Amino acid sequence: MKNLTLRLKVEMIDFNVVDSPPTNYEIASYQFCNVGTVQLIDDLYDLILKKKGDWVRLKSIKTPDRQEVDFLLMFTKSELSEEDNRLLKSIVKVCESYFTYHDLELNIEVDEQLSHLPSIDSMGNGMIVSAQMNGGNGLSEFLEKEFNNQGIDYTILRRQQERVDAGASGGMEHVLIHIAQWVLTSAAWDILKKSLNSEDISWLSFFRESRYEEKQFKRIRRSVAERTRVNEIDLILKDKIEDEKEVTIVFEVRGVAEGDITLICDHGGNIRDISNTVTS
């Protein structure tokens, strides 16, 4: 079962106050089960942008069992006017009218995915690939095509996409992928990288790989859960970076929009440092 959560949020950015961080709050939230997400999200974004005119941002995070999408309605002021509030109500109405027209039923059941461990637990040893592009989207489709062409067994663990229309359009996409054990041979990995290098990938911000050892990862995650008092099944792998000296592991917490838990480990999986910026 895959759950889709949609949230409408207001983001306030006051350019008249120096070093004033953006603030945001939720005005509506909806949850669905087993619905097609791509067209739904594109349609809603276009409807919201048409209604508001400009200053709209989308943030989407997709894992094998869930997708969470935030539509951020941006205002460059510290306080909303009555007209702004009327606009917000009309945007909520447009979205809910879309749900009704397309017979989309809200899911009010308890999120069943919380009774299961993250899908990475059943994948075994392998490799984690972390890649990012700035300025647009389409990275996931590009990598999937390359992996399929090479016959590589892979699973997309997490896909983060951002899109913004605020005077000019822009975007970002980050993908975290698990690759099965066989590709860890240097020959197979060299073939894959040679294939990627044959393409024009100058738009890639980074493409990096690190080993994934299942037992070590589970031990680390269990330790993080104990230290942070976060349920282990709510710790979702967000990124993994490995160099000659250390390994950096980043977790996000399921259902929490802001903040991460970042670990610095040695190559034996021993935690040297932990930073928690998660806000409830």
Side-chain angles (χ1 to χ4, degrees):
M1 176 179 292
K2 174 172 284 189
N3 288 322
L4 170 65
T5 299
L6 302 176
R7 289 181 289 259
L8 293 174
K9 292 184 174 182
V10 170
E11 184 170 71
M12 312 282 286
I13 308 171
D14 191 350
F15 293 125
N16 294 319
V17 179
V18 179
D19 296 328
S20 176
T23 59
N24 65 66
Y25 60 89
E26 185 178 298
I27 59 173
S29 179
Y30 311 95
Q31 188 169 27
F32 304 93
C33 275
N34 299 325
V35 297
T37 60
V38 176
Q39 192 62 50
L40 168 62
I41 294 167
D42 286 346
D43 286 350
L44 287 176
Y45 187 89
D46 290 342
L47 287 170
I48 292 169
L49 184 60
K50 182 178 180 180
K51 195 72 176 177
K52 192 171 184 297
D54 208 345
W55 289 89
V56 177
R57 184 162 67 95
L58 177 148
K59 181 178 180 181
S60 169
I61 297 176
K62 185 176 183 179
T63 62
D65 59 359
R66 71 179 177 109
Q67 183 168 6
E68 297 187 3
V69 180
D70 289 343
F71 296 96
L72 294 113
L73 314 173
M74 297 182 288
F75 293 87
T76 56
K77 56 180 70 175
S78 59
E79 187 174 344
L80 297 183
S81 65
E82 291 185 7
E83 183 179 354
D84 294 330
N85 285 315
R86 285 194 295 270
L87 173 62
L88 294 178
K89 290 180 181 179
S90 69
I91 289 174
V92 171
K93 185 177 180 180
V94 164
C95 293
E96 294 181 350
S97 295
Y98 178 92
F99 302 149
T100 301
Y101 180 80
H102 291 277
D103 296 322
L104 298 175
E105 295 185 4
L106 294 174
N107 174 32
I108 58 175
E109 300 295 327
V110 175
D111 192 345
E112 293 183 10
Q113 69 177 323
L114 297 181
S115 63
H116 304 285
L117 287 173
S119 59
I120 194 172
D121 284 59
S122 60
M123 294 180 186
N125 295 341
M127 178 180 290
I128 298 293
V129 170
S130 177
Q132 180 169 310
M133 67 177 294
N134 293 326
N137 293 287
L139 173 60
S140 179
E141 289 82 2
F142 170 78
L143 292 178
E144 286 184 77
K145 179 181 177 181
E146 293 295 327
F147 293 156
N148 289 332
N149 288 342
Q150 295 296 328
I152 293 175
D153 182 12
Y154 67 93
T155 300
I156 296 179
L157 299 175
R158 184 181 185 276
R159 182 183 187 184
Q160 178 177 341
Q161 295 174 289
E162 295 189 13
R163 175 180 170 186
V164 62
D165 284 274
S169 298
M172 179 280 287
E173 181 172 346
H174 175 257
V175 181
L176 198 69
I177 299 174
H178 176 275
I179 296 179
Q181 176 71 40
W182 75 266
V183 83
L184 291 180
T185 65
S186 59
W189 186 241
D190 286 344
I191 291 172
L192 174 60
K193 289 195 288 187
K194 184 178 180 180
S195 173
L196 289 173
N197 290 334
S198 69
E199 304 276 353
D200 179 12
I201 55 173
S202 58
W203 43 267
L204 268 177
S205 299
F206 58 76
F207 182 89
R208 57 198 179 209
E209 70 275 3
S210 61
R211 289 181 177 269
Y212 172 77
E213 297 179 16
E214 182 178 8
K215 290 184 178 179
Q216 183 185 94
F217 176 79
K218 289 181 178 179
R219 174 171 56 81
I220 292 172
R221 190 182 60 198
R222 184 165 54 250
S223 177
V224 172
E226 292 171 354
R227 295 190 190 195
T228 60
R229 297 183 180 181
V230 173
N231 194 322
E232 186 176 344
I233 64 174
D234 291 331
L235 291 171
I236 308 299
L237 182 63
K238 182 177 181 179
D239 206 355
K240 188 171 185 285
I241 306 163
E242 183 176 341
D243 59 28
E244 295 180 356
K245 296 181 179 179
E246 61 191 20
V247 179
T248 301
I249 300 174
V250 183
F251 289 101
E252 63 180 343
V253 178
R254 189 195 309 271
V256 178
E258 301 295 333
D260 301 312
I261 299 172
T262 303
L263 318 176
I264 304 297
C265 306
D266 61 25
H267 287 276
N270 300 302
I271 299 176
R272 294 175 175 172
D273 187 45
I274 182 168
S275 171
N276 185 356
T277 61
V278 172
T279 58
S280 57

